[in-house]
Amino acid sequence: MSHYRYITVIAFAAFLAWLGWFVVVFKLSPFENAGLAMTLFYLTLFIALSCTFTVVGFYFRVWLFRNEIFYGHINVALRQGVFLSLIATFCLVFQMIRVLTWWSGLLLIVIALLLEFYFSARDSELSS
């Protein structure tokens, strides 16, 4: 399977997830069934953001690093897309429960950066 086919599947999943998120926002009321509405809201938002950040990150890496292996870019873009969407989702959850401050958001970013540094170092050790 080529790397463009992977990206096409991820982009289609992003489209479906954004469609699902809009359905959740406009059709489900958090006042009638709060648990289901909030769970579906955050789940579809996480999947949509992960897929969107992955596609954008992949094409940014292809543009930035020309003439390199694309499959490595897919793995890194997917990992970073998940990290970015986790940051966004946790910030929204913290805002919902009224505990989001600038330093808690910064702490989430630092945690994601440390995890990314760990995985990047591990990937470079495995490829050497």
Side-chain angles (χ1 to χ4, degrees), residues 16-26 40-42 44-46 48:
L16 289 178
W18 281 117
L19 190 67
W21 184 78
F22 281 114
V23 167
V24 168
V25 167
F26 290 116
L40 289 177
F41 174 82
Y42 287 116
T44 55
L45 182 67
F46 173 75

Side-chain angles (χ1 to χ4, degrees), residues 41-96:
F41 174 82
Y42 287 116
L43 184 65
T44 55
L45 182 67
F46 173 75
I47 294 170
L49 286 175
S50 293
C51 294
T52 303
F53 287 146
T54 299
V55 171
V56 170
F58 173 77
Y59 282 115
F60 179 72
R61 287 181 175 285
V62 167
W63 174 75
L64 193 62
F65 304 110
R66 300 198 196 300
N67 298 329
E68 287 193 17
I69 300 169
F70 293 124
Y71 289 107
H73 296 315
I74 291 174
N75 293 336
V76 174
L78 181 63
R79 182 177 65 225
Q80 290 176 352
V82 168
F83 285 156
L84 286 172
S85 59
L86 279 173
I87 291 170
T89 305
F90 276 118
C91 282
L92 283 175
V93 169
F94 287 170
Q95 180 63 31
M96 182 183 73

Side-chain angles (χ1 to χ4, degrees), residues 107-121:
L107 185 62
L108 287 172
I109 293 170
V110 167
I111 290 169
L113 280 173
L114 289 174
L115 284 170
E116 178 59 31
F117 289 149
Y118 169 74
F119 286 119
S120 295

